[in-house]
Amino acid sequence: MYYRLIQRSLMACACMTCFALPLAAQVTNAPHGALRGEVRDAGTGQPLAAALVRLVPLLHHEELTHVDGSFLLTDIEPGQYTLVVERLGYRSESRSVAVEAGVTTTVQIALAVSALELGGLVVETGALSARARNDVLSPVTTISGADLDRLTDQTVAAMLDGRPGLTSTSLGPTTARPIIRGLGGNRILMLEDGIKPGDMSSTSSDHAVAVEPLTARQVEVVRGPMSLMYGSSALGGVVNLVREEVPAAIPDRPHGALMLQGMSANDGLTAGGFGTTSFGPFAVRAEGTARTFGNLVTPVGELVNTGGDTRAVALGVSVPGEHLHGGGAYRYYASDYGIPGGFVGGHATGVDISMRRHTLRGEVEVHRDRGLVSSVDVDGGYTRYHHEELEPSGNLGTSFVQDLVQGQAVMRHAQAGIFREGALGVSGQYRDIQTGGTLRTPSTWDYSLAGFLIEELGPDALRFQFGLRYDLARYTPRDTTSFVTAGGERTPVRERTFGAVSGSAGLLWKASEAVRFGASVSRAYRNPDFNELFSNGPHLAANSFDVGDPSLGQETGFGVDVFARITNAHVHAEVAAYRNLLSGYIFPSSRGRAELGAQGGRPRFQYTNEDARFIGVEGEVLAALTDAVRLEASGSLVQAEFTSDRAPIPVFEGFDTTFVAASDVPPLIPPAQGRLGVRLERPGYFAGVGAKLVARQDRLGDFETPTDGHALLDLTAGLRIVRGGTLHTVTLRVDNALDREYRDHLSRVKDLMPGAGRGVSLLYRMAF
């Protein structure tokens, strides 16, 4: 039955594609226009090379300025557009331009030197169409431009850590995964150019995110109504790493970037780059990266067995057009890394992990400039993911092989009565997980099917957005003869089916050109994953004995979010408050230690449902004190507690059982934290000093230990040099400059070793 549903979902995608093709044919064949211009320094009048020029809302028109500051955008349908120009060290400029048929329109852009670079920032993930960050109807975090150079790190989570509402949890530096507002796991949806990477990082703390951040063009984190486009389970939010792996436009000349980074905290060295060029009607993008690193160095010694290496290559080809765009890409990602040892019941020297990921993706986009339906997008991908965990003897401890097929079709419409724009879509997913080694979680098939609708209406001064989504999912274990001992009872492994409606509504009030206020309410749900349902055995790399519950209920969340946003030439500020009520919150409840003889004395965890409440505030302020100096301040606080009465926890020690009181706090809740910093920003150079401030955390989950507050000093400095239309950037960063000893509350190895000591990072980037 459910296999047929998936078939129908994929057939729906195909039907929407077939419907899309005639739409393109209906578009008038009137001649197109072009846009030519120059970008110069407003103070000196000198041409600015390597400035990024985008035409919004068109998806496939962007260009880097040449050595003389010139650019040319061709094949543009006549109409009114917004031209966005960005250059590091300058204030971004947005200008309305009119393009006429058969005419080359000329524009002159002057950029003023500024310590803020936010004016023209375009957000892709959190909106129905590309728009400035200031006009997104949800709290949003972006990393782009100069911040990419300053924050580039080994993982996406490390880059995001410390931003408002964002932290990370890990079992060693390689396995870091984002935490948003105290929520983690598959409540955070990781995406690459809008599709899931197909790894298994959300299922266990020892599984790394199989995504290389070095070649990102932008990283976006969004909460609110738009998360419904990507999945109902994104209770915390969506993290999208934007690369444009399938090229969106044919460049008039080759462009790309080359990067080289060294890091002293783990003796790491990274090299990589990407480039996009044209071959006749084809746009081609090629990418390659390699990263090698050793053990993490802390103020008191090395965290052993945390070294490794990663490699990635990708190739994307497309046939861009104004009304019909199609293409595909292949990506290979490989990582070999260590998990530290020294835990009671674990291996003294840790466990080694080898993962391989192959991904094929394709997309077709049809765009119209007239009529109700503005575009139809169909995309999908296939990922084969292989994961092995090796004991010190070389024996296989645990293995996973996952085949993931995903597809989505989205139809967007333009202005229709009171509706400004909207989207209607369907998506489907098939996943085959094969387990092996000592892991006793049965191999599982699962299927899911979803439909969603998102609409935006209202004038510019008061916009409203709502979304509805229905999801249906089924989990089918291959072995239905086994049992799981859940809650002291033997529960048979069996098929499970889940389905529910999720929805959200939000508004954005434009009080003035600089001030916005927003609010949203949402209902979301997530299914228990296969490991939460069917696990029943040791997981060596995670140093745990995991027990699922085939009777687990689904998790339902109801959230309220309000925010205020101020953006002008001198200040960007955003403050948000939220309240999330989670019914049936799924988490691994600690049960002490398993039997020493049969199960190695590893910590025992039982997946269970409880009700919980998460309340918090977060915000940031960026203020330009002068054209060259800016002040940065940010902070976040989340308070979480169980709202249902928890039964005493049975603790297994050897063959004896005792009971202890259960905590009223969910596990791994981040402490209050903030950041203060001052940065000097000039077109040719930059420098900064900042401090990360973290409070003591003594509101603890089951069997957790408190962590003291701490303050970490960081320094940055760098140069930007333009030669022949190529931008060269050198960035020096010093983390934990005073080499302070501290314990990160969300680190699962904090009882073994403190956090990283003083680390120096040197990044060279050449953009051409």
Side-chain angles (χ1 to χ4, degrees):
M1 173 183 175
Y2 293 95
Y3 179 70
R4 290 197 299 271
L5 286 174
I6 298 301
Q7 284 183 317
R8 292 171 184 171
S9 173
L10 298 178
M11 288 176 62
C13 293
C15 290
M16 293 183 77
T17 305
C18 294
F19 176 66
L21 295 177
L23 291 179
Q26 296 173 19
V27 179
T28 177
N29 291 321
H32 291 181
L35 186 64
R36 183 190 302 276
E38 290 183 341
V39 180
R40 294 183 176 273
D41 185 301
T44 66
Q46 294 298 312
L48 291 178
L52 179 62
V53 180
R54 300 183 187 181
L55 202 58
V56 179
L58 297 183
L59 297 178
H60 310 309
H61 283 80
E62 64 179 47
E63 182 64 86
L64 290 174
T65 56
H66 298 188
V67 65
D68 59 354
S70 66
F71 65 89
L72 175 64
L73 302 175
T74 60
D75 195 28
I76 306 172
E77 181 75 16
Q80 197 76 23
Y81 301 96
T82 299
L83 184 68
V84 180
V85 183
E86 302 173 5
R87 174 69 154 76
L88 297 179
Y90 292 84
R91 182 180 304 123
S92 301
E93 180 76 17
S94 298
R95 178 178 299 183
S96 179
V97 295
V99 177
E100 301 178 11
V103 175
T104 298
T105 303
T106 301
V107 295
Q108 300 287 333
I109 303 293
L111 298 185
V113 173
S114 174
L116 294 181
E117 305 164 9
L118 299 165
L121 187 63
V122 174
V123 176
E124 301 179 9
T125 310
L128 288 165
S129 57
R131 64 186 61 178
R133 173 179 172 177
N134 203 33
D135 292 323
V136 178
L137 282 78
S138 306
V140 60
T141 297
T142 60
I143 296 178
S144 62
D147 285 341
L148 270 181
D149 291 334
R150 186 168 58 89
L151 298 174
T152 292
D153 213 308
Q154 183 174 340
T155 64
V156 176
M159 295 173 64
L160 296 173
D161 191 21
R163 312 287 280 193
L166 294 167
T167 50
S168 65
T169 183
S170 69
L171 189 64
T174 309
T175 62
R177 183 173 171 84
I179 299 290
I180 302 178
R181 295 177 169 181
L183 298 174
N186 63 2
R187 299 177 188 88
I188 309 300
L189 191 58
M190 297 289 298
L191 302 174
E192 282 185 300
D193 284 335
I195 72 167
K196 300 174 186 176
D199 60 27
M200 300 183 69
S201 60
S202 65
T203 62
S204 181
S205 59
D206 63 299
H207 296 180
V209 177
V211 173
E212 172 54 63
L214 185 69
T215 54
R217 189 182 76 181
Q218 184 158 295
V219 181
E220 301 175 350
V221 183
V222 176
R223 283 82 73 183
M226 283 303 297
S227 65
L228 292 178
M229 280 191 63
Y230 306 103
S232 64
S233 65
L235 297 168
V238 177
V239 178
N240 188 21
L241 188 143
V242 180
R243 280 199 186 92
E244 204 172 273
E245 196 164 74
V246 178
I250 295 179
D252 68 342
R253 60 188 176 93
H255 67 83
L258 298 175
M259 292 79 71
L260 182 65
Q261 184 178 33
M263 304 181 73
S264 70
N266 58 5
D267 289 331
L269 181 63
T270 306
F274 64 90
T276 303
T277 188
S278 62
F279 287 97
F282 299 100
V284 178
R285 180 186 186 277
E287 174 190 322
T289 59
R291 184 187 299 272
T292 181
F293 49 94
N295 292 334
L296 182 70
V297 179
T298 78
V300 299
E302 291 187 358
L303 182 59
V304 298
N305 202 44
T306 52
D309 62 81
T310 63
R311 294 87 63 199
V313 294
L315 179 66
V317 180
S318 67
V319 184
E322 178 59 32
H323 299 294
L324 180 61
H325 167 85
Y330 165 76
R331 173 168 290 273
Y332 171 72
Y333 179 90
S335 181
D336 298 287
Y337 61 94
I339 297 295
F343 303 96
V344 176
H347 292 291
T349 57
V351 174
D352 294 323
I353 292 181
S354 176
M355 66 161 67
R356 302 291 184 269
R357 171 194 156 202
H358 300 266
T359 298
L360 287 168
R361 63 176 297 165
E363 59 184 47
V364 176
E365 303 174 8
V366 178
H367 303 276
R368 299 184 71 205
D369 299 297
R370 296 177 178 83
L372 178 62
V373 178
S374 59
S375 70
V376 177
D377 304 337
V378 182
D379 59 64
Y382 165 72
T383 297
R384 184 170 181 85
Y385 175 83
H386 189 201
H387 178 112
E388 290 186 340
E389 301 173 5
L390 304 174
E391 300 182 39
S393 64
N395 294 331
L396 177 66
T398 299
S399 72
F400 297 93
V401 176
Q402 174 177 272
D403 292 293
L404 174 69
V405 180
Q406 55 184 317
Q408 177 172 277
V410 181
M411 181 184 298
R412 290 178 169 84
H413 71 76
Q415 182 82 36
I418 64 172
F419 296 102
R420 297 170 59 98
E421 54 184 324
L424 174 66
V426 295
S427 64
Q429 175 181 295
Y430 164 77
R431 186 173 61 162
D432 181 3
I433 300 172
Q434 303 173 50
T435 61
T438 60
L439 193 69
R440 293 188 218 163
T441 305
S443 299
T444 305
W445 295 287
D446 65 69
Y447 315 86
S448 64
L449 177 67
F452 57 87
L453 170 69
I454 298 173
E455 292 290 343
E456 187 173 316
L457 61 155
D460 285 338
L462 184 62
R463 282 184 288 147
F464 177 74
Q465 187 182 89
F466 69 87
L468 288 172
R469 181 183 178 100
Y470 181 77
D471 285 80
L472 182 67
R474 186 176 183 88
Y475 295 84
T476 305
R478 293 183 181 178
D479 179 10
T480 57
T481 63
S482 58
F483 289 79
V484 173
T485 304
E489 298 182 359
R490 285 166 54 87
T491 305
V493 170
R494 64 187 188 277
E495 289 186 335
R496 292 295 307 276
T497 302
F498 300 92
V501 174
S502 52
S504 62
L507 61 87
L508 183 69
W509 174 38
K510 182 179 178 181
S512 68
E513 285 299 319
V515 180
R516 310 286 196 277
F517 295 98
S520 66
V521 295
S522 61
R523 181 191 188 275
Y525 97 105
R526 89 171 178 95
N527 306 320
D529 208 352
F530 82 104
N531 60 306
E532 297 168 330
L533 291 169
F534 307 132
S535 291
N536 189 31
H539 192 168
L540 300 179
N543 187 51
S544 62
F545 190 95
D546 300 334
V547 181
D549 185 351
S551 301
L552 276 178
Q554 64 191 30
E555 180 179 306
T556 303
F558 180 79
V560 178
D561 201 305
V562 296
F563 67 90
R565 185 183 295 149
I566 301 174
T567 301
N568 58 34
H570 304 289
V571 175
H572 171 79
E574 182 168 305
V575 179
Y578 57 89
R579 186 174 188 266
N580 293 323
L581 300 179
L582 301 182
S583 175
Y585 177 74
I586 302 169
F587 73 105
S589 178
S590 298
R591 292 296 190 265
R593 297 198 173 275
E595 297 174 4
L596 291 174
Q599 301 166 1
R602 296 181 183 88
R604 182 183 179 95
F605 295 97
Q606 169 75 66
Y607 287 101
T608 188
N609 290 113
E610 297 286 356
D611 296 337
R613 178 173 56 232
F614 290 71
I615 300 175
V617 293
E618 63 196 31
E620 71 173 345
V621 177
L622 307 177
L625 304 180
T626 70
D627 286 342
V629 179
R630 87 181 194 192
L631 176 69
E632 303 176 339
S634 64
S636 56
L637 168 67
V638 57
Q639 294 287 336
E641 62 182 355
F642 290 115
T643 56
S644 55
D645 294 329
R646 297 185 64 200
I649 297 175
V651 179
F652 301 91
E653 293 288 355
F655 294 95
D656 297 324
T657 302
T658 59
F659 291 85
V660 298
S663 171
D664 62 353
V665 178
L668 295 175
I669 299 302
Q673 61 180 292
R675 176 174 171 78
L676 292 172
V678 178
R679 292 183 60 191
L680 171 68
E681 277 286 347
R682 302 296 291 173
Y685 58 91
F686 54 93
V689 58
K692 180 180 180 181
L693 310 172
V694 180
R696 175 180 172 83
Q697 180 59 291
D698 50 18
R699 287 183 51 79
L700 308 175
D702 297 335
F703 304 106
E704 288 183 1
T705 56
T707 50
D708 293 330
H710 56 268
L712 303 178
L713 181 70
D714 60 78
L715 307 170
T716 57
L719 297 172
R720 300 187 187 106
I721 302 171
V722 178
R723 290 290 183 270
T726 299
L727 176 63
H728 304 264
T729 305
V730 179
T731 304
L732 176 69
R733 187 179 82 230
V734 183
D735 299 318
N736 191 7
L738 301 180
D739 203 30
R740 296 292 191 188
E741 181 179 341
Y742 69 97
R743 308 277 170 166
D744 183 349
H745 190 74
L746 300 188
S747 170
R748 296 179 182 269
V749 297
K750 62 179 179 290
D751 293 330
L752 295 179
M753 278 285 180
R758 181 187 299 112
V760 179
S761 168
L762 185 64
L763 173 70
Y764 166 72
R765 183 188 299 267
M766 181 182 70
F768 58 90

